[in-house]
Amino acid sequence: MSADPLHRAGAPQRTPTNLPPSSSRTSAIEVRRSTRRRRTVSAYREGDRTVVLIPARMSEAEEQRWVSVMLDKLAAQESKRVLGDAELAERAERLSDQYFDGRARPTAVRWVTNQNTRWGSCTPSEGSIRLSHRLQGMPEYVVDYVLLHELAHLLVPGHGPRFWRLLEAYPRTERARGYLEGVVAADRLPHVPGARSE
């Protein structure tokens, strides 16, 4: 969703919006109101922030509703985008910089199709990270969590307290773990005879 170039040229009102953690997709949401904008609402990512552009005349209730709608649309778009190996490596580097002060430096980060029981794996002695192709199409925060999990193994090999303290820096750890647990549970559900699978 692209920003309206005319809107950017004006002097919009900017309002930081705080939605409940369960509905927010990024750490910061900025609502920009514009008198030029009459009916359209758009949103885009700007670093770790989401900018939502709305008409100035909207009520606070309409604003909250549209922010939620636009966050869902952005998340849906992002979940359809598949990162290549080079993009995955760049993402790992950014995450290491952001959460581990750049200390975790993998030599290789790539997708693999031979991991059906694990989401990712790391070989600390080689510095290599592999993510299961099953993560492709999942929300970005889930992929980020798995990347951070494997990056943390470059710093702490096991799953002891030091390892989990590292992951506490990522604010969506519990949410991502819950998402992955839900996927695993759904895979274990029996398939109902006659039900269509789409």
Side-chain angles (χ1 to χ4, degrees), residues 18-193:
N18 294 319
L19 291 177
S22 62
S23 61
S24 66
R25 304 287 191 273
T26 58
S27 61
I29 300 164
E30 181 180 319
V31 176
R32 296 182 186 170
R33 293 175 171 264
S34 171
T35 54
R36 293 185 202 177
R37 191 174 282 271
R38 298 283 177 225
R39 293 185 304 265
T40 60
V41 176
S42 62
Y44 61 94
R45 303 282 193 212
E46 193 173 78
D48 196 30
R49 177 174 51 159
T50 301
V51 178
V52 181
L53 308 169
I54 65 172
R57 64 173 176 71
M58 275 193 180
S59 69
E60 282 190 39
E62 289 174 308
E63 173 184 316
Q64 289 297 318
R65 185 176 71 80
W66 276 106
V67 166
S68 181
V69 165
M70 298 313 286
L71 288 173
D72 288 343
K73 284 187 176 187
L74 283 173
Q77 284 179 345
E78 290 167 349
S79 70
K80 290 177 185 170
R81 188 173 67 221
V82 175
L83 302 173
D85 288 349
E87 293 167 308
L88 200 59
E90 288 172 14
R91 188 179 202 114
E93 186 176 334
R94 281 195 313 271
L95 289 167
S96 175
D97 289 343
Q98 185 174 358
Y99 294 102
F100 302 145
D101 298 321
R103 293 178 295 135
R105 289 285 174 222
T107 56
V109 182
R110 62 191 174 94
W111 296 107
V112 294
T113 57
N114 63 350
Q115 287 189 6
N116 294 315
T117 59
R118 293 198 253 178
W119 297 114
S121 61
C122 174
T123 307
S125 61
E126 296 173 5
S128 62
I129 291 174
R130 293 156 307 281
L131 296 190
S132 171
H133 71 285
R134 296 178 306 140
L135 288 165
Q136 293 176 334
M138 289 189 186
E140 286 186 358
Y141 74 92
V142 175
V143 176
D144 286 353
Y145 165 73
V146 176
L147 268 174
L148 280 164
H149 185 106
E150 301 311 330
L151 285 166
H153 280 308
L154 293 176
L155 304 173
V156 179
H159 287 104
R162 277 184 57 223
F163 175 84
W164 293 111
R165 275 195 299 277
L166 280 173
L167 285 179
E168 285 175 1
Y170 184 57
R172 297 185 189 163
T173 292
E174 288 307 312
R175 185 175 178 195
R177 290 182 70 185
Y179 184 100
L180 293 171
E181 287 170 7
V183 170
V184 170
D187 283 347
R188 291 183 184 150
L189 290 174
H191 295 284
V192 179

